[in-house]
Amino acid sequence: MSLRAERVDTWRWIGVPTLVCVVATLLFAAPIRVFGLQLPEPVFPLAPAFAWAVLRPSIASPFALLGMGLFLDLVWGSPTGLWSIALIAAYVMVLFTRNMMTGQSRTMMWSWYAAASTVAISVAYFATTLDSGVAPNLVTTLCQLLPTMMLYPFSHRLIER
């Protein structure tokens, strides 16, 4: 068994998770109703954003987040740049606190992921309030935050890879 480190391709580290987030967002944005309820709209790009900031920050990560944020803006009809700012805010928060995360348990990492999700959704909430002059519904905001927090296993899998 070899213990040497393996070089990770940028395509596998950034490209594949980006494509997975795009496909997942499109699937969940489809007008499908289950028991009369629409599918939740979690912010899928937060999972790789967290993993990229925790494990291996690179110069390509913020650009991928910018692109995914603009994609979310187009799909969800939000103002251009809203989700890019929210994703970058969460990425920067994790980047600045990543030294405190090293060696933490999976439960504690999930807590950090929940905090990053809260930062991103809060930034989007306040930016929307400033842009429109009307605060979005808090219940629907929480209905987006909770499924987003449940995406941590995908982020954990990316970190483990």
Side-chain angles (χ1 to χ4, degrees):
M1 172 157 75
S2 175
L3 294 177
R4 65 184 175 89
E6 200 176 302
R7 187 178 165 298
V8 179
D9 287 339
T10 303
W11 172 249
R12 279 186 22 197
W13 179 244
I14 294 180
V16 173
T18 300
L19 286 177
V20 168
C21 289
V22 166
V23 170
T25 299
L26 288 175
L27 285 175
F28 275 70
I32 299 170
R33 297 209 177 263
V34 179
F35 302 115
L37 299 172
Q38 187 175 349
L39 293 173
E41 293 181 344
V43 184
F44 287 102
L46 274 172
F50 183 79
W52 292 338
V54 166
L55 194 59
R56 188 177 167 192
S58 74
I59 192 70
S61 300
F63 292 109
L65 292 174
L66 175 71
M68 286 191 288
L70 292 174
F71 173 76
L72 289 178
D73 293 335
L74 291 174
V75 170
W76 291 339
S78 51
T80 306
L82 173 74
W83 285 106
S84 296
I85 291 170
L87 291 171
I88 295 293
Y91 179 81
V92 168
M93 191 244 4
V94 174
L95 197 61
F96 284 136
T97 59
R98 67 188 280 246
N99 289 335
M100 291 185 279
M101 294 181 208
T102 50
Q104 297 292 330
S105 68
R106 186 173 181 160
T107 306
M108 197 62 206
M109 290 298 285
W110 202 325
S111 299
W112 280 105
Y113 178 78
S117 299
T118 303
V119 165
I121 299 287
S122 297
V123 166
Y125 181 86
F126 290 119
T128 301
T129 302
L130 289 174
D131 182 53
S132 67
V134 178
N137 187 342
L138 277 175
V139 174
T140 56
T141 303
L142 288 175
C143 287
Q144 187 173 32
L145 178 62
L146 294 177
T148 301
M149 287 181 182
M150 300 308 292
L151 294 175
Y152 174 72
F154 300 107
S155 186
H156 181 74
R157 183 164 184 234
L158 191 58
I159 290 170
E160 290 296 313
R161 233 178 65 189

